[in-house]
Amino acid sequence: MSTLDVAKKDFLDVRRAKIVWFVGALYVLFMAMLVYFGQNGSQEPNILNALWNLTAVGAMFIPLIALVTAYLAIAGERESGSIKYMLSIPNTRRDVVLGKFLTRTSVVAVSIVVAFLLGGGLTLAWYPDPEMDAFAIMTALTVVYALTYVAVAIGISAATDSRSRAMGGSIAFFFVTSVLNVFGPLQFAIDYVANDLAGLEISMYQIAFVQSLVSPTAAYVNSTALAFPEGFNTIPPDLPWFLQGETMLVVLVGWLVVPLALGIWQFERADLS
């Protein structure tokens, strides 16, 4: 067997997980609601405002879709013992990790693309200026963002040997990188450590960059500058190069590659006896 064979078998399992499709359907519903309320009762509705609100919703909701879909991908099979059968077919351990990643990313990406296709259709019907270029960019950025959390969940799952540890690691990662980021404590913590304790006197822009390095959610929010015009809403018109959307996209790709590579490395070293 190979990576694709593992992915095909895994898809048969994940498609039966009702919680995965339920969470994905909720995101589709949020998309429809935000597009609808963005134009309801407005003389000059602007889809960019709806997309801006969707960024805030997605920053919290997308990680849940990804983590729920992927956190038990390998740890669940290790706890049940079925991983030994999969590796006896034979598959390499790298095939297992990459196959699981391919399946889970496909499921998550389909959920997001369906939501944006629905939102795009409603936008064309309800908005005088649908801004389809911004819609396409936001779709791509949101898919990449979701895949970073799938990679993290697969990495955690590959590095742990039980459901409880995989769940605990995923919840902890979500809380630190998403919840604390959205509500502010992560930024305050970086500021306190860098400026108050270390006395580095770094600027808020530099703090925002560090925040993006430790949180894919922060990198995603900053990357959306690619979809919105300069100075839109709270986006500063003179962002330094290290906070430009292109730089944040590179950071997101790093968040996709590094956790997956670490998961493969840890799984190849694991004792499965």
Side-chain angles (χ1 to χ4, degrees), residues 36 64 79 120 142 161 219 235 239 268 271:
Y36 172 76
L64 290 177
E79 186 174 83
T142 304
D161 57 1
I235 299 176
L239 282 172
E268 288 180 337
D271 181 6

Side-chain angles (χ1 to χ4, degrees), residues 1-10 13 77 81-93 95-96 100 272:
M1 293 180 74
S2 65
T3 297
L4 288 178
D5 294 319
V6 173
K8 290 176 183 177
K9 179 185 179 301
D10 190 48
D13 298 330
E77 297 209 31
S82 60
I83 194 69
K84 296 179 182 178
Y85 168 76
M86 182 172 291
L87 290 171
S88 68
I89 293 179
N91 295 305
T92 67
R93 298 191 184 195
D95 286 337
V96 172
K100 297 280 189 178
L272 303 180

